[in-house]
Amino acid sequence: MAEALEWLREEDRLILRGELDQDTVVALWEQREAAMMDIKVIDLNALQRVDTSGLALLLHLVDIGRQGGRTVSLAGISDNLATLAKLYNLPDRLLPATVS
């Protein structure tokens, strides 16, 4: 069974914890607009797993920020998520990583 997905808003950061997969994305999907209000960074450091459903949700969250006139970046992109994005041949601009 998938570990529950939790999210927390801290200033301009949306922090995701747990697993972002087909079993857990629905709750965040239903609250995506409110969750992304004024967010500039989506922090993935505390995610244990992301599947294709999670990848799709991340693409939508970044796009919501762009539609709101903000540049949204992702902090803590795992090797597995980066590999998944490469397998789908996604351009880097769709999942922009935070520069450390």
Side-chain angles (χ1 to χ4, degrees), residues 6 9-10 13 15 19-20 31 33-35 50 55 61 63 67 71 74 77-78 81 87 92-94:
E6 299 175 3
R9 292 170 41 90
E10 285 186 0
R13 295 177 79 84
I15 301 167
E19 295 187 8
L20 187 59
Q31 297 182 41
E33 296 288 338
V50 179
L55 174 60
L61 295 178
D63 189 56
Q67 290 178 15
T71 300
L74 304 175
I77 296 176
S78 69
L81 179 56
L87 288 172
D92 291 339
R93 65 178 171 76
L94 292 180

Side-chain angles (χ1 to χ4, degrees), residues 71-100:
T71 300
V72 176
S73 61
L74 304 175
I77 296 176
S78 69
D79 290 342
N80 290 341
L81 179 56
T83 299
L84 191 57
K86 285 180 184 173
L87 288 172
Y88 280 99
N89 202 28
L90 296 176
D92 291 339
R93 65 178 171 76
L94 292 180
L95 287 176
T98 299
V99 177
S100 302

Side-chain angles (χ1 to χ4, degrees), residues 7-96:
W7 62 92
L8 172 67
R9 292 170 41 90
E10 285 186 0
E11 298 178 13
D12 65 351
R13 295 177 79 84
L14 178 64
I15 301 167
L16 303 180
R17 292 188 180 109
E19 295 187 8
L20 187 59
D21 62 20
Q22 67 180 4
D23 296 326
T24 64
V25 296
V26 174
L28 182 53
W29 175 260
E30 291 173 347
Q31 297 182 41
R32 65 193 179 278
E33 296 288 338
M36 285 301 295
M37 187 73 62
D38 300 321
I39 295 298
K40 294 181 182 174
V41 176
I42 302 172
D43 188 329
L44 310 176
N45 285 297
L47 284 179
Q48 279 84 44
R49 179 167 142 13
V50 179
D51 72 1
T52 55
S53 299
L55 174 60
L57 179 57
L58 290 173
L59 292 169
H60 281 283
L61 295 178
V62 169
D63 189 56
I64 288 168
R66 285 190 182 129
Q67 290 178 15
R70 293 180 312 281
T71 300
V72 176
S73 61
L74 304 175
I77 296 176
S78 69
D79 290 342
N80 290 341
L81 179 56
T83 299
L84 191 57
K86 285 180 184 173
L87 288 172
Y88 280 99
N89 202 28
L90 296 176
D92 291 339
R93 65 178 171 76
L94 292 180
L95 287 176

